[in-house]
Amino acid sequence: MSSSQPPTTQLPPPPQQQQLQPATPPSSTDEPPLFICIECSFPVNSLYTAYSSADDRSLGRGVRLTQCPRCKRFADKYVEHDFVVLFIDMVLIKPQVYRHLLFNHLGRRDDKLDGSIKRLGVLLLLFDVYLTWARIEKGVSGGTPAVLTQQPIVVQYLFFLALCFTESIVFHLTIRLLSTYILNFRRANAVSTALLVSSCTKLFPILMVIWKYDVPAAARSVGWAVVVNNIEALRILLDTDYFRAAALTGAGAVVRAGASQAILAAAGLAPSWDEAGWREWAGLLGLGK
């Protein structure tokens, strides 16, 4: 009799161990690091390591933050935070949040403006139009000029829109040129990104929808807060001291105030050179809209 061989059972292949995949591919040695530590500015190649793509990264699941090899702290804790925390820390002028936004989140090697920055710029421009319109209507003396009464509302809006757009362009171009030719900083769009991000405090007048208060005084207060944030953002981006950052911001504010006064004078809206006129200039230099 032929002996039958015992049946063989095939074992399933052993499960493959899941490898830890970095969130972003590390850069080569010939290129600069992709990110920096927001605490000590030390370069790192990744901000976190993802364990599984099935987990919710917005809740911090399946994600391990990268530890900085120099300061031994998390390279970027804001990876797990939402926009509300970022906005609060920007109001508090924390340098870590600006390093996160300017280098780790919005910074691009091709020096192109991020889409969110473009939308933020449009939103800030619309706020400038409303505040400038309200400020000029309350600050003009000697009767209301024809541009505010005899023209249709659409023409008035387009005038203030052109005014605010010109002010913003002049302000950004002045600081971009000075940072390029004086500090040898070649990423011009990164300068505009820093200025727009640090101008988020301009959105505070939206509280006028809830509480009514004096528009010129509130605009000047918000304007000086924007100045301080602009200085901090430029200092971090350009890796310079407070004196040079303040000089760049002040130069941009002076040029913008001059352009604004020239346009307003041509339209008959410039204040006379009395005490009220000097207060108006002080408000313009403080980015008060």
Side-chain angles (χ1 to χ4, degrees), residues 5 7 17 64 68 77 80 86 99 114 129 132 150 156 209 222 233-234 245 254 288:
Q5 296 181 354
Q17 295 182 355
R64 185 181 65 184
C68 176
K77 62 182 179 181
E80 297 181 327
L86 297 179
R99 293 191 185 102
D114 190 80
V129 172
T132 303
Q150 299 179 4
Q156 298 180 39
V209 178
V222 172
L234 289 176
V254 169

Side-chain angles (χ1 to χ4, degrees), residues 106 108 111-125 189 192-193 196-197:
L106 299 174
R108 298 180 56 174
D111 194 31
K112 291 184 179 180
L113 289 176
D114 190 80
S116 59
I117 293 299
K118 297 178 182 179
R119 294 189 292 270
L120 176 61
V122 174
L123 182 61
L124 293 176
L125 178 63
N189 283 331
S192 294
T193 299
L196 290 174
V197 168

Side-chain angles (χ1 to χ4, degrees), residues 192-264:
S192 294
T193 299
L195 294 175
L196 290 174
V197 168
S198 58
S199 299
C200 284
T201 48
K202 285 185 180 181
L203 303 180
F204 271 129
I206 197 175
L207 298 176
M208 286 189 296
V209 178
I210 306 174
W211 298 291
K212 293 184 179 181
Y213 49 86
D214 184 57
V215 173
R220 282 191 293 270
S221 301
V222 172
W224 285 111
V226 172
V227 169
V228 176
N229 281 273
N230 288 158
I231 294 174
E232 181 67 20
L234 289 176
R235 183 190 70 86
I236 293 175
L237 177 67
L238 303 177
D239 193 21
T240 184
D241 52 25
Y242 281 107
F243 177 78
R244 293 184 180 181
L248 289 176
T249 306
V254 169
V255 174
R256 180 179 59 182
S260 176
Q261 287 298 105
I263 297 175
L264 293 176

